[in-house]
Amino acid sequence: MDELSLVAIAVGALYLGAFACVYRILMTYRTTQGAIAWVIGLIALPYVAVPMFVLFGRYRFGGYVKARRLGDESLTNLLNRFEQQTTSIPIPTSDRFTDELQVLCRLGRQPFTDGNRCTLLRDGEATFDALFEAMEDAEHYILLEFYIVRSDRVGRRIKSILERKLAQGVEVWFLYDDIGSVWLPRKYLDQLAAAGARVASFGDGNIRRRRFQINFRNHRKLLVCDGKVGFVGGINLGDEYLGTAMDQEPWRDTHCRIEGPAVTGLQLAWLEDWNWASNDFPSLDWKPSENQPGNDEVLMLPTGPADTWETCTLFFLNCINNARSRLWIASPYFVPDFQIMNALQLAALRGVDVRILIPEKSDSRLIGLAAYSYLVQACKTGIGIYRYQPGFMHQKVILVDARYAAVGTANMDNRSMRLNFEITAITTAPHFIHSVESMLEQDLDSSRLMTESDYKDRSILFRVACRAVRLLAPLL
């Protein structure tokens, strides 16, 4: 066979692969703009787009869906039991608990529970102090799940505590994301395993489900001790949340501590992820505590690409569309799609005080540029976009009126809404709402309100770059 024939066969195989990718897109796409971009790329530049689609292109995490729905019967029974438990809050009779929150219960297949106590942890120092204390106090087991784990001062302190607790007979399950923790030394994990911890990677823990995929990251950051105390928020296990990063600028992030029956929801989300990663089903405490630590109403909302619906997108839309007087959102990555942006504009036109808090300095140059492209659109309807000045703001917080607040891991971008596994704690507790309000007011005081001129007065090359990068929103 001559060289020309080999080239023809290779080109034919490439286009056959491209059309196979196009077929998959047409049968599974969630957004038309993303689908159109992929189809054009696959047909026009298949030698570039086909490898890119292999890395980035899948829209659903099918293996996880099968593990959830067809896997261990015990897991399904636990999910059903918690979803239908009699201790959940009944049909609301107060202004604080409305139909929009009932919708979130159905989205996440979890109930709002009462009898909880929520504590806002405003920064890395408060968060790590609380994490260390909870782990030291654990008597039976510790469950960890973090997107980024580093072998720095914080990471070594975590490992030291875990090794000591293991020596005391406390069981430890340690789940990390292999992309987020790509720089975590193997020695760190091997030493934990040698001490008796069960260690698994979300990306490639189960060889039968392994895929060469950069998408579908486990972006959750949570800790559960003995099924009674849990933590969730934006803080990973690294020194940057305590000190400095990015040109010696401090990081600004938020977490929360939860005690009570809502921790069961956090534990269930962890168990689904662990079961996927390791095919293991550990024996944990599922019995609600008789002594309720407080009277806060809390919902744990896990979201991800294995959900029946775009749960994270619907969560944001639900918050925006039902806001009556105030909607404050803090997100380090502000790259909303058209439906989210339209909902924000409508909220502002209704008279809602819409404020979006984003960092002045971002750890992603592309996302920083894309955020500028929304400025004119936002300002014309009265949406306030504030850029946090003291350092890199990484918190993911939502405040809706004076009715409920949310702290979690989800950003306002395509990855959180469609590609990453996230989790958010939502509460109607007045004291927690007041704490979030006070915290965000301080953050806003340390921020700069942007105007149309921040975009219009820049060079034409800058504005073109912002608009061009915005086209990449599905990949950012």
Side-chain angles (χ1 to χ4, degrees):
M1 187 177 294
D2 60 24
E3 185 176 338
L4 187 61
S5 299
L6 289 173
V7 171
I9 291 173
V11 170
L14 183 64
Y15 272 95
L16 185 62
F19 282 114
C21 294
V22 169
Y23 171 79
R24 185 179 183 88
I25 289 168
L26 293 176
M27 300 305 293
T28 62
Y29 73 85
R30 290 190 174 189
T31 63
T32 54
Q33 65 269 35
I36 290 171
W38 275 119
V39 169
I40 291 174
L42 286 163
I43 294 175
L45 298 167
Y47 47 87
V48 174
V50 170
M52 289 287 287
F53 187 81
V54 171
L55 285 173
F56 297 105
R58 282 164 53 215
Y59 291 86
R60 295 295 303 277
F61 202 10
Y64 191 102
V65 175
K66 292 177 183 177
R68 171 191 284 175
R69 296 176 184 169
L70 305 177
D72 197 302
E73 186 178 349
S74 299
L75 177 58
T76 303
N77 290 339
L78 281 171
L79 288 165
N80 291 337
R81 190 189 318 159
F82 188 57
E83 185 181 16
Q84 299 165 6
Q85 70 169 336
T86 57
T87 58
S88 63
I89 297 174
I91 295 174
T93 57
S94 70
D95 291 337
R96 286 189 300 148
F97 191 76
T98 54
D99 289 345
E100 69 203 82
L101 298 180
Q102 294 277 20
V103 167
L104 297 181
C105 295
R106 290 192 286 272
L107 277 179
R109 286 196 61 197
Q110 291 203 18
F112 257 88
T113 60
D114 56 13
N116 302 285
R117 179 166 62 202
C118 292
T119 305
L120 185 68
L121 304 170
R122 289 191 173 206
D123 54 32
E125 184 176 357
T127 297
F128 289 128
D129 284 347
L131 289 177
F132 297 154
E133 181 182 9
M135 288 189 293
E136 293 282 13
D137 291 342
E139 297 178 350
H140 305 293
Y141 61 83
I142 299 172
L143 316 176
L144 299 99
E145 178 175 344
F146 285 88
Y147 177 62
I148 295 174
V149 182
R150 303 195 192 283
S151 183
D152 53 16
R153 185 160 53 105
V154 167
R156 291 192 298 272
R157 175 75 183 277
I158 292 284
K159 186 164 80 71
S160 174
I161 294 174
L162 294 178
E163 288 172 339
R164 185 164 60 255
K165 299 307 290 186
L166 284 161
Q168 295 171 6
V170 175
E171 295 185 282
V172 172
W173 285 269
F174 187 94
L175 180 61
Y176 67 98
D177 185 88
D178 57 314
I179 296 294
S181 301
V182 65
W183 303 115
L184 183 65
R186 188 73 231 176
K187 181 180 178 182
Y188 183 103
L189 301 169
D190 290 343
Q191 288 176 344
L192 267 180
R198 282 81 154 184
V199 178
S201 159
F202 187 79
D204 62 1
N206 186 325
I207 194 161
R208 292 183 294 110
R209 300 169 183 162
R210 189 174 299 176
R211 299 289 187 275
F212 188 56
Q213 269 281 330
I214 292 177
N215 284 338
F216 308 128
R217 306 323 318 160
N218 191 318
H219 195 240
R220 294 169 180 169
K221 300 104 177 165
L222 63 90
L223 168 73
V224 174
C225 296
D226 295 338
K228 302 295 188 292
V229 180
F231 297 83
V232 66
I235 294 178
N236 290 290
L237 302 184
D239 285 355
E240 60 267 36
Y241 298 91
L242 277 176
T244 59
M246 289 174 33
D247 299 326
Q248 305 305 307
E249 295 284 357
W251 282 49
R252 167 76 187 89
D253 213 328
T254 301
H255 229 69
C256 66
R257 180 182 192 271
I258 299 162
E259 298 173 84
V263 178
T264 302
L266 199 59
Q267 187 166 275
L268 273 168
W270 175 90
L271 183 60
E272 279 197 296
D273 293 342
W274 180 265
N275 189 52
W276 150 258
S278 65
N279 263 348
D280 179 34
F281 193 88
S283 243
L284 304 174
D285 183 9
W286 301 102
K287 188 177 181 182
S289 174
E290 294 181 2
N291 298 320
Q292 295 182 338
N295 57 6
D296 297 344
E297 302 167 346
V298 179
L299 168 68
M300 291 297 176
L301 182 66
T303 62
D307 296 345
T308 303
W309 306 283
E310 281 187 15
T311 309
C312 191
T313 302
L314 294 176
F315 162 65
F316 278 116
L317 286 172
N318 196 55
C319 293
I320 298 166
N321 291 335
N322 288 286
R324 303 167 187 170
S325 60
R326 175 177 61 186
L327 178 69
W328 293 358
I329 299 174
S331 175
Y333 310 120
F334 181 67
V335 194
D337 61 17
F338 74 95
Q339 59 182 333
I340 295 291
M341 195 64 204
N342 286 346
L344 289 169
Q345 289 179 295
L346 282 172
L349 290 171
R350 291 197 309 269
V352 176
D353 175 17
V354 180
R355 304 188 194 187
I356 310 295
L357 181 62
I358 61 177
E360 178 70 56
K361 294 185 178 181
S362 176
D363 62 345
S364 170
R365 177 64 174 164
L366 292 179
I367 289 176
L369 285 172
Y372 273 94
S373 69
Y374 298 93
L375 192 54
V376 174
Q377 199 176 352
C379 290
K380 286 187 181 300
T381 53
I383 299 171
I385 296 185
Y386 293 77
R387 285 189 174 270
Y388 183 75
Q389 298 297 304
F392 179 46
M393 190 217 71
H394 188 254
Q395 63 181 329
K396 306 95 165 53
V397 177
I398 301 177
L399 181 60
V400 180
D401 305 327
R403 296 182 296 118
Y404 61 94
V407 175
T409 68
N411 300 303
M412 192 165 275
D413 64 0
N414 181 67
R415 291 204 162 273
S416 284
M417 293 186 195
R418 299 184 178 91
L419 299 175
N420 287 345
F421 289 84
E422 311 281 5
I423 190 162
T424 302
I426 305 161
T427 180
T428 61
H431 73 91
F432 192 89
I433 293 168
H434 178 72
S435 296
V436 170
E437 178 184 39
S438 175
M439 177 186 71
L440 291 180
E441 283 176 344
Q442 291 182 24
D443 290 338
L444 289 165
D445 287 342
S446 300
S447 303
R448 176 175 66 89
L449 176 62
M450 300 184 72
T451 65
E452 291 185 50
S453 62
D454 285 300
Y455 175 77
K456 288 183 173 180
D457 292 349
R458 302 293 290 266
S459 69
I460 184 66
L461 288 177
F462 178 85
R463 284 177 282 152
V464 168
C466 292
R467 298 292 295 183
V469 170
R470 182 169 167 176
L471 294 176
L472 300 175
L475 297 178
L476 295 178

